[in-house]
Amino acid sequence: MAADMLVKLYELQADSDLDRRMMAEGVTIRRALVPELSGIAAWIEPRFGAGWASEATAAIMRQPVTCWIAHEGETLLGFACHEATMKGFFGPTGVDESARGRGIGHALLIRTLIDMRDQGYGYAIIGGAGPMGFYEKSVGAIAIPGSSPGIYKGMLPLAAPAGMAD
């Protein structure tokens, strides 16, 4: 099972090259809107499971909304949330399989973490980080020793993301 990771937010910088690349590719990264809730949750569930759809729902219902989305025109490509299950936690996050490899996950990660910093956090915890190498490389995240299974210990299996349960 994946460990939690810690990210220093006070040193995090926006990536203007990545932002320009997203713009050039027609990818918009923005805060989700509450009226989009059912559509976003319906998009997440078959790709990532009921648990992640529930967490995204909680993030979208917050004020301010703590779920960010990436879309190309009217096509949703990915999402990233914070404050979904626990305060100070980043996640869940996911990009449609067909859109991976374009930097969308990286752009969502940075934008969401900057939102956390702007809301007063000095650090973020990435709960149950799956692709630990990605987080290490992207934002300098470090593993938190002894953090597995973390806050998800004892969670009902029906909430686990499809294909991601241990």
Side-chain angles (χ1 to χ4, degrees):
M1 181 170 264
D4 294 343
M5 299 185 83
L6 188 66
V7 181
K8 286 189 272 184
L9 299 179
Y10 54 87
E11 293 183 351
L12 186 63
Q13 298 295 317
D15 185 335
S16 56
D17 290 336
L18 182 59
D19 292 342
R20 278 192 292 278
R21 194 168 101 219
M22 291 295 105
M23 190 179 297
E25 290 186 24
V27 175
T28 300
I29 308 283
R30 64 169 175 83
R31 193 179 303 271
L33 297 172
V34 173
E36 298 171 312
L37 169 61
S38 62
I40 292 169
W43 182 90
I44 292 170
E45 187 164 350
R47 289 165 178 81
F48 303 104
W52 283 16
S54 295
E55 286 181 295
T57 297
I60 293 170
M61 293 303 295
R62 289 187 163 284
Q63 286 298 327
V65 170
T66 58
C67 181
W68 292 78
I69 58 171
H71 63 91
E72 192 169 17
E74 295 182 352
T75 303
L76 186 58
L77 304 173
F79 74 103
C81 303
H82 68 91
E83 308 289 299
T85 299
M86 296 285 252
K87 287 192 173 291
F89 271 66
F90 167 85
T93 184
V95 173
D96 189 81
E97 205 170 310
S98 67
R100 292 180 189 163
R102 296 173 56 188
I104 295 167
H106 187 196
L108 282 164
L109 170 66
I110 291 174
R111 185 63 200 98
T112 305
L113 291 176
I114 287 173
D115 188 44
M116 290 183 76
R117 183 192 65 208
D118 291 349
Q119 290 189 35
Y121 287 99
Y123 294 89
I125 298 165
I126 301 171
M132 294 178 78
F134 167 74
Y135 293 118
E136 289 169 9
K137 181 181 171 189
S138 296
V139 293
I142 58 169
I144 301 173
S147 62
S148 179
I151 66 167
Y152 301 102
K153 180 180 182 179
M155 184 171 77
L156 295 174
L158 58 90
M164 303 199 51
D166 289 300

